[in-house]
C-alpha cells in the first residue's frame, strides 16, 4: 500500500436530498450528517431507498432536489470527479469479469497511470494480502471465486484507491454467517487502518450493530431513527422495533 | 425513437471529443481489432468468395450472349467494391461483432461493472466505447479491401470455369483493370467507414442503456443488430447519392 495510514476521513453533509423514479418518491427530502472517520450504517428493510441513497453519495445518481457536500464541497454527479478519493464496494462486487482479480485490483492505478507497473504489482499483491487473498487467487477471474472472495477482492480494489470515503452496498448479502463476519471485520480494519469514513448500507442487523459507530434506520425513503446502537435499540419507532424483533419462529 | 437517436448523437459527440485520448488507449484498440479480425475474417472470406461467384454466375451468361463478356470483370469489380463489399461486410460486422459488443457492455451495465468504473474515476466512454468504435471504424474498411480481393477472385473462378460464361482469367482481370480505378475503391471505403461508425455507436449505445437483467441483454442485442441493419441500408442510399458527383468527376 502506498500510504493508507496517512489518510483521513471526509465528513458528508446531506441537505434536502430527494429522488423519485417514474413519479414514485424513493427518497423524501433527507437531511443527514456523517462525521469524518466514523463507520455509519444505514439500515432498513429491502426497497427502503438505502442503495439509491448510497448511489447519490458517490455521484452515480443525480438528485431531483437537495445537495450533498463532501468535506464542504458540493458533490457533482460526474463520472470522474477527482477532487476526493471515494470508493464503493457494490453488492455484486462490481469486479470486471473480463479482468483477473489482480488486474481488477490494480485497475485504478493502471488506468490513471499513477505508478510504474512493477510498483502497481507490489501494491496489488500487498493489498490482496490485507484481505487474505493469495497469489493463486490473484490470477483468477472473478467468476472463478466464491461470493466472499469476490467481496474481499472488491474491498481490495477500494483499498488501492486509498479512499477517504468508502461506501459498502449490502456487503454481507448472499454470504454465510462466517464469511459475513470476516467481511465485517475487514470493514472495521479498513476504517481503523486508513481512517476513512465508511458508510455501509445493509439489512443485516448483526453486521449493522457489530460495526457501526452510528446508525440510521431508513424506511420508505425517510430516516425514522438516528443514533448509536444503544439509542436505536431503545428507539420507540414501531417499524424499527418490528425490524429488530423480526425472527423466524 | 427520437430520444434514442439523440442519445446516440450525444454518445458519438462524446467519442469524438475523446479522440485525443486515442494514443493512450491504443492497446485496447489493438485488442479490439484482434477480436474483430478473429471473429470475422473467415466468414468475410467465405461470404465474399460466394458473392463474387454469384455475381459472375448471374450476369456472365447475359453479357456473353450479348457479346460483351469482356465487361464481366468490370461489372463484378464495380459491384463488389462500390456496393456489395461495404454493405455485406458491415452487415457481417453488425451481426458478429456489434452484437457481441452490445452483449458485453449490456452485461457490464446490468452487473454494475460500469458503475464500478465510474466510482474509480474511469470514464466508461474512454475505457469502453472509444476503443470499440475506433477499432470497428478501422476494421470494416480493411475488411472491405479484403472482401474486394476475395470477391473478385470468386467472380474470376466462376467466370473461367462455368461453361456458359467461359471468360478466361486474363480477360476477366483485364476488364477489371480497365474498368475500375482507385476512386471506385475509395467510394466503397468511405461508405464502409460511415457504416462502421454507425454500427459502433448503435451497438455501444444499446449496451450502455441495457436494463432488466439477462432478458434485457437479449433485447438490447436484438435491437442493436436490427437498428444497425436498418441504418446501414438507409445510409447506403444516402451516401451513394452524395458520392455520385464524385463518380462523375472521375469520368464514370
Amino acid at each position: 500500500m502506498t500510504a493508507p495510514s496517512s489518510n483521513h476521513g471526509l465528513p458528508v453533509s446531506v441537505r434536502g436530498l430527494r429522488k423519485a423514479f417514474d413519479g414514485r418518491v424513493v427518497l423524501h427530502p433527507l437531511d443527514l450528517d456523517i462525521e469524518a472517520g466514523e463507520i455509519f450504517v444505514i439500515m432498513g428493510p429491502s426497497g427502503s431507498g438505502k442503495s439509491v441513497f448510497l448511489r447519490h453519495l458517490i455521484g452515480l445518481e443525480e438528485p431531483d432536489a437537495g445537495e450533498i457536500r463532501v468535506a464542504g464541497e458540493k458533490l457533482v454527479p460526474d463520472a470522474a470527479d477527482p477532487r476526493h478519493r471515494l470508493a464503493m464496494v457494490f453488492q455484486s462486487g462490481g469486479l470486471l469479469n473480463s479482468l483477473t482479480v489482480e488486474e481488477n485490483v490494480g485497475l485504478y492505478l493502471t488506468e490513471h497511470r499513477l505508478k510504474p507497473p512493477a510498483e502497481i504489482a507490489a501494491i496489488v499483491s500487498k493489498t490482496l494480502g490485507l484481505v487474505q487473498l493469495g497469489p493463486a487467487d490473484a490470477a483468477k477471474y472473478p467468476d472463478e471465486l466464491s461470493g466472499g472472495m469476490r467481496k474481499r477482492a472488491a474491498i481490495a480494489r477500494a483499498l488501492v484507491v486509498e479512499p477517504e470515503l468508502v461506501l459498502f452496498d449490502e456487503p454481507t448479502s448472499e454470504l454465510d454467517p462466517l464469511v459475513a463476519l470476516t467481511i465485517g471485520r475487514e470493514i472495521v480494519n479498513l476504517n481503523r487502518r486508513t481512517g476513512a469514513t465508511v458508510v455501509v448500507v445493509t439489512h443485516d442487523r448483526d453486521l449493522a450493530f457489530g460495526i457501526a459507530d452510528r446508525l440510521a434506520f431508513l424506511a420508505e425513503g425517510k430516516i425514522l431513527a438516528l443514533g448509536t446502537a444503544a439509542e436505536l435499540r431503545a428507539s420507540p419507532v414501531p417499524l424499527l422495533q418490528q425490524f429488530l424483533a423480526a425472527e423466524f419462529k | 425513437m427520437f430520444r434514442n437517436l439523440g442519445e446516440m448523437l450525444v454518445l458519438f459527440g462524446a467519442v469524438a471529443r475523446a479522440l485525443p485520448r486515442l494514443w493512450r488507449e491504443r492497446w485496447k484498440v489493438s485488442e479490439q481489432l484482434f477480436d474483430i479480425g478473429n471473429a470475422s475474417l473467415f466468414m468475410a472470406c467465405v461470404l465474399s468468395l460466394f458473392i463474387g461467384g454469384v455475381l459472375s454466375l448471374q450476369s456472365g451468361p447475359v453479357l456473353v450472349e450479348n457479346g460483351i463478356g469482356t465487361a464481366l470483370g468490370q461489372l463484378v469489380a464495380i459491384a463488389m467494391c462500390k456496393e456489395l463489399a461495404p454493405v455485406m461486410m458491415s452487415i457481417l460486422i453488425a451481426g458478429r461483432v456489434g452484437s457481441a459488443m452490445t452483449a458485453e457492455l449490456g452485461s457490464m451495465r446490468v452487473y454494475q461493472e460500469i458503475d464500478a468504473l465510474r466510482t474509480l474515476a474511469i470514464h466508461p466512454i474512454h475505457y469502453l466505447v472509444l476503443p470499440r468504435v475506433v477499432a470497428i471504424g478501422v476494421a470494416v474498411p480493411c475488411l472491405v479491401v479484403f472482401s474486394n480481393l476475395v470477391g473478385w477472385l470468386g467472380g474470376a473462378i466462376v467466370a473461367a470455369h462455368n461453361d456458359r460464361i467461359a471468360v478466361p482469367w486474363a480477360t476477366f482481370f483485364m476488364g477489371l483493370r480497365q474498368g475500375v480505378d482507385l476512386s471506385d475503391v475509395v467510394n466503397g471505403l468511405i461508405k464502409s467507414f460511415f457504416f462502421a461508425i454507425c454500427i459502433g455507436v448503435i451497438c455501444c449505445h444499446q449496451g450502455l442503456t441495457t436494463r432488466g437483467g439477462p432478458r434485457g441483454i437479449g433485447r438490447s442485442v436484438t435491437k442493436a443488430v436490427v437498428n444497425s441493419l436498418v441504418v446501414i441500408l438507409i445510409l447506403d442510399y444516402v451516401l451513394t447519392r452524395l458520392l455520385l458527383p464524385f463518380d462523375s468527376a472521375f469520368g464514370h
Side-chain angles (χ1 to χ4, degrees), chain B residues 14-185:
Chain B
V15 172
R17 279 196 306 279
L19 277 175
R21 285 181 60 96
L22 191 56
W23 180 248
R24 209 183 146 133
E25 308 293 349
R26 64 192 181 280
W27 297 116
K28 290 194 200 89
V29 175
S30 71
E31 271 171 33
Q32 290 294 325
L33 275 171
F34 180 79
D35 287 348
I36 294 172
N38 228 1
S40 59
L41 213 53
F42 177 71
M43 287 297 289
C45 185
V46 173
L47 211 66
S48 306
L49 195 71
F50 281 91
I51 290 171
V54 166
L55 267 178
S56 262
L57 200 60
Q58 295 271 24
S59 51
V62 181
L63 294 178
V64 170
E65 273 170 28
N66 288 289
I68 46 172
T70 50
L72 181 59
Q74 181 183 357
L75 188 144
V76 170
I78 294 273
M80 276 306 294
C81 68
K82 288 177 78 168
E83 190 59 40
L84 288 168
V87 171
M88 294 312 293
M89 288 307 104
S90 300
I91 288 175
L92 172 71
I93 288 295
R96 249 183 110 79
V97 178
S99 58
M101 275 183 190
T102 306
E104 189 183 359
L105 296 186
S107 145
M108 290 182 79
R109 158 100 179 154
V110 167
Y111 298 109
Q112 296 183 308
E113 292 179 32
I114 290 176
D115 285 343
L117 282 177
R118 292 173 66 192
T119 62
L120 293 169
I122 297 170
H123 204 303
I125 302 289
H126 300 162
Y127 187 78
L128 298 169
V129 181
L130 177 70
R132 282 168 173 77
V133 173
V134 170
I136 220 167
V138 173
V140 174
C142 292
L143 273 177
V144 167
V145 172
F146 175 72
S147 169
N148 283 338
L149 297 173
V150 177
W152 294 344
L153 184 70
I157 292 170
V158 172
H161 296 286
N162 186 286
D163 294 337
R164 289 184 60 201
I165 307 171
V167 173
W169 285 76
T171 312
F172 184 93
F173 281 107
M174 191 181 291
L176 189 153
R177 264 212 310 274
Q178 285 169 352
V180 179
D181 61 25
L182 190 62
S183 70
D184 297 315
V185 179

Side-chain angles (χ1 to χ4, degrees), chain B residues 186-197:
Chain B
V186 170
N187 183 310
L189 293 180
I190 291 171
K191 281 163 75 169
S192 67
F193 174 75
F194 282 101
F195 296 160
I197 298 300

Side-chain angles (χ1 to χ4, degrees), chain A residues 55 58-60 79-80 86 88 90-92 94-99 107-108 111-113 157 161, chain B residues 21 23-26 28 104 107-108 111-113 115-124 127 211:
Chain A
R55 289 172 63 83
I58 201 157
L60 289 174
L86 315 181
M88 180 161 171
F90 289 84
Q91 189 170 354
S92 60
L95 297 170
L96 271 64
N97 280 312
S98 54
L99 303 181
L107 189 63
Y108 177 79
E111 277 304 307
H112 295 290
R113 299 186 176 183
R157 187 174 66 182
V161 178
Chain B
R21 285 181 60 96
W23 180 248
R24 209 183 146 133
E25 308 293 349
R26 64 192 181 280
K28 290 194 200 89
E104 189 183 359
S107 145
M108 290 182 79
Y111 298 109
Q112 296 183 308
E113 292 179 32
D115 285 343
L117 282 177
R118 292 173 66 192
T119 62
L120 293 169
I122 297 170
H123 204 303
Y127 187 78
R211 290 173 69 188

